Amino acid sequence: MKRLVIVGGGGHGRELLELVEAVNGAQPRYRLLGVLDDAMPDADLLAAFGTRHLGPVHLLRELDAEYAIGVGSPDVRAAIDSAATGWGCDPATLVHPRAVVGGGVVLGPGAVVCALASITTNVRTGRHAHLNIAATIAHDCRLGDYTTLAPGARLSGAVTLGDRVTVGTGAVVIQGLRIGAGTTVGAGAVVVRDLPAEVVAVGVPARPRLPATGSAGTV
Ligand SMILES: CC(C)(COP(=O)(O)OP(=O)(O)OC[C@H]1O[C@@H](n2cnc3c(N)ncnc32)[C@H](O)[C@@H]1OP(=O)(O)O)[C@@H](O)C(=O)NCCC(=O)NCCS
């Protein structure tokens, strides 16, 4: 059994606790030591999983355990991963037994694939890519590091996501498109053209949201 800690004790962290339970239910694999979080998570909610808050994130360096990051924000995942890598820690890659992962799929270290997510074939993800419940990824997609597919997000074939891209819940990206690093696609959007880096795009068809203009804004 591998020793494991979950970094992050909020809602997504508890989703990872569920996922670890499911993985161990299919085949005992991890000994869960507990949860690390710089804030104080709800002890009762963690106790329901038979686990507890161990302390702040930097304790990871002393634990001799693999880590999975239960945090939705790509930027926060990147920062935690950077620290953990510096401490010489190894991430766990977690795949729910009820996810569908096809042939030629390469998941990066620390990737998380939740229940009912489906990945067809010849897909590659970067480090700590998170594919939430019922997200779908078709053939030949490339997902960068710290990418997030929210519940029910859908990538058609040969889509490329830069590092730290988030595709919101229920959003759709049609085939062959590229989305630049750090961009967020809003919930329910339909992306039909490439998107640049570091924008928030919403709507059908998805368009980068214009920055708010203050009172001195241009006409
Ligand atoms: C797009 C998003 C990132 C914008 O967040 P935000 O910057 O806090 O935006 P606000 O809530 O302040 O809304 C700003 C404007 O954008 C609109 N807007 C927000 N999200 C939108 C969406 N998904 N589609 C269309 N319009 C949206 C709001 O109605 C508002 O319009 P208004 O100024 O005319 O009133 C966010 O709403 C979103 O969709 N996030 C994805 C959430 C998700 O998938 N969560 C899954 C968690 S597991």
Side-chain angles (χ1 to χ4, degrees):
M1 299 273 275
K2 292 182 172 176
R3 292 156 58 90
L4 177 71
V5 291
I6 303 298
V7 180
H12 194 40
R14 280 181 279 111
E15 288 179 330
L16 264 53
L17 293 173
E18 288 273 3
L19 207 165
V20 171
E21 277 188 357
V23 167
N24 281 340
Q27 183 181 353
R29 187 146 176 223
Y30 293 108
R31 184 158 85 80
L32 182 68
L33 304 186
V35 170
L36 298 173
D37 199 315
D38 290 342
M40 188 59 73
D42 186 312
D44 291 338
L45 290 176
L46 297 186
F49 290 95
T51 194
R52 67 185 179 91
H53 181 220
L54 300 172
V57 176
H58 68 76
L59 289 184
L60 179 59
R61 69 194 308 175
E62 300 161 21
L63 285 177
D64 185 27
E66 293 189 356
Y67 66 99
I69 307 177
V71 175
S73 160
D75 290 339
V76 175
R77 283 210 301 282
I80 293 168
D81 184 42
S82 170
T85 302
W87 298 328
C89 303
D90 290 324
T93 299
L94 300 176
V95 178
H96 195 285
R98 286 193 295 130
V100 176
V101 179
V105 172
V106 179
L107 299 172
V112 169
V113 182
C114 295
L116 307 182
S118 295
I119 312 174
T120 62
T121 189
N122 300 107
V123 167
R124 184 177 288 268
T125 84
R127 292 179 71 83
H128 297 278
H130 279 207
L131 317 180
N132 216 309
I133 49 172
T136 62
I137 305 181
H139 63 93
D140 301 306
C141 286
R142 297 286 177 268
L143 280 67
D145 295 339
Y146 317 113
T147 43
T148 295
L149 297 193
R154 301 189 182 287
L155 303 185
S156 307
V159 166
T160 301
L161 305 184
D163 294 344
R164 296 176 291 102
V165 165
T166 294
V167 181
T169 189
V172 172
V173 184
I174 68 169
Q175 72 280 358
L177 298 184
R178 306 178 75 85
I179 299 182
T183 279
T184 296
V185 175
V190 178
V191 181
V192 301
R193 299 279 182 268
D194 289 352
L195 291 173
E198 306 291 350
V199 299
V200 175
V202 298
V204 182
R207 298 191 197 286
R209 205 175 55 184
L210 295 173
T213 52
S215 56
T218 52
V219 179

